[in-house]
Amino acid sequence: MLRFVGQRLLHGLLIMMGVVVTVFFLFNVLPGDPVAMLAGQRNDIATREAIMVDLGLDKPLPAQLLYYLNDISPVSIHPHTPDNQQKYHYQRLFTLTNKVVVLKVPYLRRSFQSNKPVTAILLDHLVGTLWLAGAAMVLATILGIFLGMVAALKPHSILDHALVTTSVLGISVPSFVAAIVIAITFGFYWSNFTGLSLTGQLYEIDAFTGRHLVWQNLILPAFALGIRPLAVIMQLTRASMIDVLAQDFIRTARAKGLSYRQVIWRHALKNALNPVITAVSGWLASLMAGAFFIEYIFNWKGLGSVTLHAVENLDFPVVIGATLLVAFLFVLINILVDMLYAFVDPRVKL
């Protein structure tokens, strides 16, 4: 098991290295002058040279890549100076001549627009995206399993055909198109009946009560984001349930005198959920990226909104940091799912 986990961690590290290299070179060939953006009104030669030295932009591109890798690596090498210690907030491990090997939080540099640390900006907006993706996944999983089970218990009926047709439509329609339709319909035209608004945040600030949660603002964006995984999970549950219900052990359970409800919930559904677990784990990571356009449409404060705003303003450190964060979450979730499979089914490790 340890060898299996080690292999998955090594694969994840190689994937992240590939993402970092690709993203770094991609954004370095795009137009824009980060030095002028950081310098602001003090765009003189001395200021520009100081900024270039600080960001390593005075070096060739391969050297800049190594400099960036050293910044984002949790274990890195830096000259031991008060400025570096304040900049990276590291813990010294051991000394190498005039430099130190340190342990630190990956340093994603500073925003060109606000000069705030990129890590702080992303963490501030990550909570909204996690709530949105988590709510969409919970909604899609519960409704998808329930509707798939209902369709499987009455195959080829009118209800089954209606659910399958609706799920095909849900898979076919892009999330951003569904989001626009849902936002206009339920958040604008029918807002008097639904009580939902076109835009809103998870937390709102009131002059008298202060900061508080507003759960209803989460309903429309979570539903819009969860439509596609809901449709996929429903079809997987239906197909798997139909296959399991035809197995010999189901007939044996019925022959033992178990009630129909016990057979469905304790035997059929339990054995039909394996492909659903795979779909849920895959979609959970995908929703982190899919939430970008949903957040933009519903004006939701999350990674998507801050990243799109950074793209519009050529704020490359924020864009690169958000890309690396989403890639890291993809890799981490896939590694955890692989470990879960290996723990549940020992054959996976072989």
Side-chain angles (χ1 to χ4, degrees):
M1 186 66 180
L2 291 176
R3 181 181 178 184
F4 178 82
V5 173
Q7 289 176 345
R8 290 299 181 268
L9 291 175
L10 179 60
H11 292 164
L13 179 61
L14 293 176
I15 292 172
M16 285 303 302
M17 285 290 295
V19 172
V20 170
V21 173
T22 303
V23 170
F24 180 83
F25 282 108
L26 175 64
F27 283 99
N28 270 277
V29 299
L30 293 178
D33 189 358
V35 177
M37 297 177 70
L38 284 173
Q41 295 181 351
R42 295 186 58 189
N43 198 9
D44 54 86
I45 297 177
T47 303
R48 290 181 61 89
E49 289 180 351
I51 294 174
M52 291 181 68
V53 171
D54 183 57
L55 297 179
L57 298 178
D58 57 330
K59 301 178 178 62
L61 198 57
Q64 292 184 37
L65 174 61
L66 293 177
Y67 187 73
Y68 187 73
L69 289 174
N70 192 54
D71 276 352
I72 66 174
S73 175
V75 179
S76 53
I77 302 174
H78 297 282
H80 185 49
T81 63
D83 290 340
N84 278 343
Q85 197 164 16
Q86 183 179 6
K87 178 180 179 180
Y88 296 108
H89 303 287
Y90 59 71
Q91 295 292 327
R92 182 168 53 176
L93 296 178
F94 53 88
T95 304
L96 292 175
T97 59
N98 61 335
K99 295 185 179 181
V100 290
V101 178
V102 303
L103 180 66
K104 70 179 193 308
V105 175
Y107 179 64
L108 298 176
R109 302 189 174 175
R110 291 180 171 272
S111 167
F112 290 164
Q113 290 290 318
S114 63
N115 202 32
K116 294 181 179 178
V118 173
T119 304
I121 295 174
L122 296 181
L123 291 179
D124 183 47
H125 290 79
L126 179 61
V127 176
T129 300
L130 290 177
W131 272 103
L132 179 58
M137 199 69 253
V138 169
L139 177 68
T141 303
I142 294 175
L143 284 181
I145 292 175
F146 175 75
L147 294 177
M149 185 173 63
V150 170
L153 294 179
K154 295 184 178 180
H156 309 296
S157 64
I158 296 177
L159 179 61
D160 178 36
H161 288 306
L163 290 175
V164 170
T165 303
T166 305
S167 67
V168 171
L169 182 63
I171 295 173
S172 304
V173 177
S175 297
F176 64 90
V177 175
I180 294 174
V181 174
I182 290 171
I184 294 176
T185 303
F186 297 100
F188 183 73
Y189 290 116
W190 293 353
S191 60
N192 293 331
F193 302 100
T194 62
L196 304 175
S197 59
L198 189 64
T199 60
Q201 304 299 328
L202 181 62
Y203 291 95
E204 291 186 356
I205 299 176
D206 187 85
F208 300 99
T209 60
R211 189 169 180 259
H212 59 280
L213 281 169
V214 185
W215 293 106
Q216 60 264 33
N217 289 341
L218 184 61
I219 296 175
L220 291 184
F223 183 68
L225 184 61
I227 284 180
R228 296 190 71 190
L230 190 157
V232 172
I233 291 172
M234 196 218 83
Q235 290 207 8
L236 286 174
T237 304
R238 175 187 176 276
S240 184
M241 279 285 291
I242 290 175
D243 182 63
V244 170
L245 289 172
Q247 299 297 319
D248 293 336
F249 73 91
I250 297 295
R251 287 190 290 268
T252 303
R254 291 288 291 162
K256 287 181 178 180
L258 294 178
S259 66
Y260 184 71
R261 180 177 298 179
Q262 287 178 318
V263 171
I264 295 299
W265 288 100
R266 294 174 57 181
H267 295 277
L269 183 60
K270 181 180 178 181
N271 287 277
L273 288 181
N274 286 335
V276 177
I277 294 174
T278 305
V280 169
S281 60
W283 275 103
L284 184 59
S286 300
L287 289 182
M288 296 294 297
F292 278 40
F293 295 103
I294 303 297
E295 291 175 6
Y296 187 79
I297 292 170
F298 287 95
N299 193 28
W300 184 265
K301 183 181 178 182
L303 281 179
S305 60
V306 72
T307 304
L308 291 176
H309 180 74
V311 170
E312 293 173 354
N313 293 280
L314 301 178
D315 197 349
F316 295 145
V318 176
V319 180
I320 295 175
T323 305
L324 295 182
L325 178 58
V326 173
F328 173 75
L329 292 174
F330 262 92
V331 172
L332 179 62
I333 291 174
N334 286 325
I335 290 175
L336 293 176
V337 170
D338 286 343
M339 291 170 60
L340 178 62
Y341 286 159
F343 180 76
V344 174
D345 187 354
R347 293 174 298 176
V348 174
K349 290 180 289 188
L350 302 178

